[in-house]
């Protein structure tokens, strides 16, 4: 009987750049904390993010409260873990919506051209002229937390897509005259097929960088809206933690454990996104790629092999000259 060939094992290869590994590890840690952390804190450790205990108000970090308590006795560690889910969800949803809008409007307008491009460019320019932050504050103030975190994510996405669309349109204009686009059009590929199968994969590094920037910017925007009281402050999130810490004068009274942890988490995610960008730059720019270790070792061995005959020849000629003298 003929044996069937064994299926090839798929091995996940970690990025070679250590900065990318650190950034990916930070993102994975916070993602795991948002997914599993609330169950561990509430069910496993028996902590509540909303339970008020005035007798334990403003307690510093201890074994009972790992990150201390708030002015009303709420556990800061429980709030930090539970609030990570809301903050990351808002940032992820807003980043996905913002990047999707920028890709659809920028790539479609740049490739189709004509009236479609003129209309989409006009809409993009209008949103670019309108100040994003005041518009975000006005819309958030009108909604004032109604609709939950998804409404906040939608507001952030609708006010943060124009710059990405402008960038992707410029890149699309430089790609639409390439040979592979012309070949796809000559084979009868539809416009939508060219956009999704040819242009979007070619713009993948730019889209990835834009997505990371949109996620981090959305997290900052959500935290900023909650900090000034325009978000849903009754929902536990990193932004609402800083809002209540500011209302409770945590900085004045020296309760650093109340406002430092959420701010540090937001900053760490921003740092992680920046570290991952190094890996994306290596993919998009071959000059920045590091050669594999095996290739470096082979090059060194070849250089040593080329140097040894030269050294041997020089030594033998020196010995011959000494003998003749």
């Amino acid at each position: 009987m003929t044996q069937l060939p064994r299926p090839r094992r798929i091995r996940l290869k970690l990025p070679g750049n250590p900065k990318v590994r650190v950034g990916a590890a930070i993102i994975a840690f916070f993602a795991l904390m948002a997914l599993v952390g609330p169950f561990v804190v509430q069910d496993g450790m028996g902590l509540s993010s909303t339970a008020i205990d005035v007798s334990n108000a403003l307690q510093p970090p201890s074994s009972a409260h790992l990150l201390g308590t708030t002015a009303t006795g709420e556990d800061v560690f429980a709030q930090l873990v539970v609030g990570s889910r809301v903050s990351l969800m808002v940032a992820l949803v807003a980043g996905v919506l913002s990047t999707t809008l920028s890709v659809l409007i920028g790539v479609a307008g740049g490739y189709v051209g004509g009236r479609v491009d003129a209309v989409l460019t006009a809409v993009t320019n209008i949103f670019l002229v309108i100040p994003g932050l005041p518009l975000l504050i006005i819309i958030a103030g009108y909604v004032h937390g109604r609709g939950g975190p998804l409404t906040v994510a939608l507001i952030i996405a609708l006010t943060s897509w124009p710059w990405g669309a402008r960038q992707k349109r410029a890149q699309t204009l430089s790609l639409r005259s390439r040979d592979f686009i012309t070949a796809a059009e000559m084979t009868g590929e539809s416009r939508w097929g060219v956009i999704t199968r040819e242009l979007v994969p070619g713009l993948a590094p730019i889209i990835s960088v834009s997505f990371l920037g949109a996620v981090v910017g959305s997290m900052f925007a959500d935290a900023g809206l909650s900090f000034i009281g325009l978000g849903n402050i009754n929902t536990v999130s990193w932004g609402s933690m800083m809002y209540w810490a500011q209302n409770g004068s945590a900085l004045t009274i020296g309760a650093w454990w109340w406002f430092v942890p959420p701010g540090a988490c937001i900053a760490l995610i921003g740092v992680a996104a920046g570290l991952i960008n190094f890996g994306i730059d290596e993919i998009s720019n071959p000059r920045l790629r590091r050669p594999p270790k095996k290739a470096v070792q082979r090059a060194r061995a070849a250089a040593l092999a080329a140097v040894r005959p030269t050294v041997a020849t020089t030594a033998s000629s020196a010995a011959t000259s000494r003998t003749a003298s």
Side-chain angles (χ1 to χ4, degrees), residues 29-170:
F29 169 76
F30 281 107
L32 185 64
M33 183 173 72
L35 292 174
V36 184
F39 299 105
V40 175
V41 169
Q42 295 174 354
D43 299 335
M45 302 176 64
L47 299 176
S48 175
S49 60
T50 57
I52 296 176
D53 186 7
V54 183
S55 60
N56 288 322
L58 293 177
Q59 294 294 320
S62 61
S63 58
H65 304 282
L66 297 179
L67 292 178
T69 59
T70 66
T72 54
E74 297 167 321
D75 190 86
V76 176
F77 177 73
Q79 288 188 341
L80 186 71
V81 175
V82 174
S84 64
R85 177 175 295 182
V86 176
S87 297
L88 291 179
M89 182 185 68
V90 171
L92 184 61
V93 172
V96 170
L97 292 177
S98 175
T99 306
T100 303
L101 284 175
S102 63
V103 170
L104 291 177
I105 295 176
V107 177
Y111 174 70
V112 176
R115 294 182 179 179
V116 175
D117 185 29
V119 172
L120 295 179
T121 302
V123 174
T124 304
N125 291 335
I126 291 173
F127 274 87
L128 285 174
V129 172
I130 299 174
L133 181 59
L135 178 62
L136 179 62
I137 293 175
I138 291 172
I139 298 176
Y142 175 76
V143 176
H144 200 67
R146 293 191 297 267
L150 293 179
T151 302
V152 178
L154 181 61
I155 295 171
I156 295 173
L158 292 177
T159 56
S160 60
W161 62 267
W163 287 107
R166 192 71 174 271
Q167 180 188 30
K168 294 172 184 63
R169 177 182 178 274

Side-chain angles (χ1 to χ4, degrees), residues 7 112 203 233 266:
V112 176
L203 297 173
I233 58 177
I266 295 174

Side-chain angles (χ1 to χ4, degrees), residues 9 16 24 51 53 68 87 146 178 189 192 201 207 212 228 261 269 273 293 314:
R9 295 180 179 179
D53 186 7
S87 297
R146 293 191 297 267
R178 300 287 180 90
E189 192 74 42
W192 180 251
I207 294 174
L212 289 174
I228 61 179
I269 291 181
K293 292 183 179 179
T314 304

